[in-house]
Amino acid sequence: SNPLWYSRKHALVNHKCIQKAFIDGLYPRPTDGQKSSQVIDTFTMDRKYDDLSPNTNLCPCISQYQAQVQASPEWQKHQETVVDPLVEQLEAVLGSPVTASWAMDCGMSMQCHGMNLPNGFTEDMLNQLLESQIWQDHELMMYPNVSYYGRLAMGFLLAEMYDAMLNTLAGAAQPKLLLYSAHDSSVETLLNMFDVWDLKWPPYASYVLFELYRDAAGDAAVRVVYNGKQMPLSWCGGNSCSFDEFSQLIQVLTPSDPSTECAC
């Protein structure tokens, strides 16, 4: 086991492959023929309580908010004028029933692996599916407001990461790296919570890094990095937050009483 990090993944099998690829990047295999091995502990949670992505079982209130958004005239119009025609086209060319999200996931995965889309499934169709999914995700994440949805959808995970930062600053034995393998919806929601999402679909193998460090004066600070780019944090007036500023932000973005807030 590696005491320098803590690793947790979603229960889906493909997340094991995602974490293995990340670990192989950190620890490349020897090229001189020598054999070496290291045990890496990776944890999972019961899917009913997993907080690595918005979870309606963990927080039933999310279901209620989603239903309210999906009943809106704007959502219904989008469904009738954009989603339904696209699904009808795809079912005609693929010869089987599909959903928009399934078709988008499969199309994106095929492109990421350098595979051709099925005959009749055009690049334009995939782009329309992508734009539609982004619109729908954004509508859901903005209701009832961006911070409240975010705290119910991803606030539990954010609270876990924040607790690890507190432990580190208190001098407790703590891994230097906490690695979580989640979903594109997790990335979107986290970025949106911090007001830095560019309304573009997270590219394949995207990551969000919350980095705790000490500045030149020795004061603790936190910065948010998305795919190698430090994000401007308007809440803190710059590219990073003092730990006090970050702590104030965490109070807004994490549930204070989950049993009450998640019960609506």
Side-chain angles (χ1 to χ4, degrees):
S1 178
N2 192 327
L4 296 179
W5 65 9
Y6 167 82
S7 174
R8 180 154 71 86
K9 68 179 185 65
H10 192 274
L12 293 174
V13 175
N14 63 309
H15 286 259
K16 181 187 295 185
C17 300
I18 293 170
Q19 287 205 330
K20 184 178 184 303
F22 182 89
I23 293 167
D24 285 345
L26 287 177
Y27 298 96
R29 297 182 181 183
T31 57
D32 57 4
Q34 295 183 359
K35 294 183 178 180
S36 64
S37 62
Q38 184 174 6
V39 175
I40 302 294
D41 291 330
T42 298
F43 298 89
T44 59
M45 292 181 68
D46 188 309
R47 292 182 67 170
K48 185 175 182 179
Y49 302 106
D50 198 344
D51 59 10
L52 288 174
S53 59
N55 187 337
T56 56
N57 287 314
L58 184 65
C59 196
C61 236
I62 297 175
S63 293
Q64 180 176 318
Y65 292 147
Q66 289 175 344
Q68 291 170 354
V69 173
Q70 291 166 353
S72 69
E74 296 82 4
W75 187 282
Q76 293 299 318
K77 180 180 179 181
H78 181 82
Q79 184 72 28
E80 294 170 4
T81 62
V82 178
V83 179
D84 290 346
L86 267 173
V87 169
E88 186 176 339
Q89 282 183 280
L90 284 164
E91 289 182 341
V93 299
L94 297 176
S96 63
V98 299
T99 64
S101 59
W102 176 88
M104 190 203 73
D105 276 347
C106 288
M108 292 287 290
S109 297
M110 294 179 75
Q111 282 198 333
C112 290
H113 289 282
M115 301 170 65
N116 294 326
L117 294 172
N119 291 335
F121 188 171
T122 66
E123 185 82 18
D124 182 61
M125 287 180 180
L126 181 57
N127 289 335
Q128 289 183 61
L129 287 167
L130 193 59
E131 291 173 5
S132 171
Q133 189 67 55
I134 291 171
W135 183 89
Q136 290 179 323
D137 287 354
H138 187 252
E139 289 293 299
L140 292 170
M141 287 188 285
M142 299 303 289
Y143 187 86
N145 60 63
V146 59
S147 59
Y148 196 73
Y149 176 84
R151 67 190 283 158
L152 300 185
M154 295 300 297
F156 297 95
L157 177 62
L158 194 59
E160 179 178 323
M161 292 189 285
Y162 177 67
D163 285 344
M165 292 181 183
L166 288 175
N167 290 336
T168 296
L169 294 176
Q174 184 71 34
K176 290 184 178 294
L177 173 66
L178 278 69
L179 174 64
Y180 300 95
S181 177
H183 295 272
D184 37 28
S185 60
S186 314
V187 172
E188 286 180 343
T189 308
L190 281 171
L191 294 175
N192 201 53
M193 291 166 69
F194 285 85
D195 195 28
V196 293
W197 187 32
D198 57 6
L199 295 181
K200 295 180 180 178
W201 196 259
Y204 192 60
S206 287
Y207 68 90
V208 180
L209 171 68
F210 292 87
E211 184 179 62
L212 173 67
Y213 67 100
R214 292 193 181 276
D215 59 22
D219 297 323
V222 177
R223 67 173 186 161
V224 179
V225 177
Y226 174 48
N227 290 341
K229 180 181 178 181
Q230 185 168 328
M231 307 306 293
L233 300 175
S234 58
W235 292 53
C236 306
N239 286 334
S240 63
C241 294
S242 69
F243 194 74
D244 286 342
E245 290 174 323
F246 187 73
S247 296
Q248 293 173 12
L249 182 55
I250 288 296
Q251 302 311 310
V252 176
L253 298 180
T254 57
S256 56
D257 185 0
S259 61
T260 301
E261 293 179 68
C262 281
C264 293

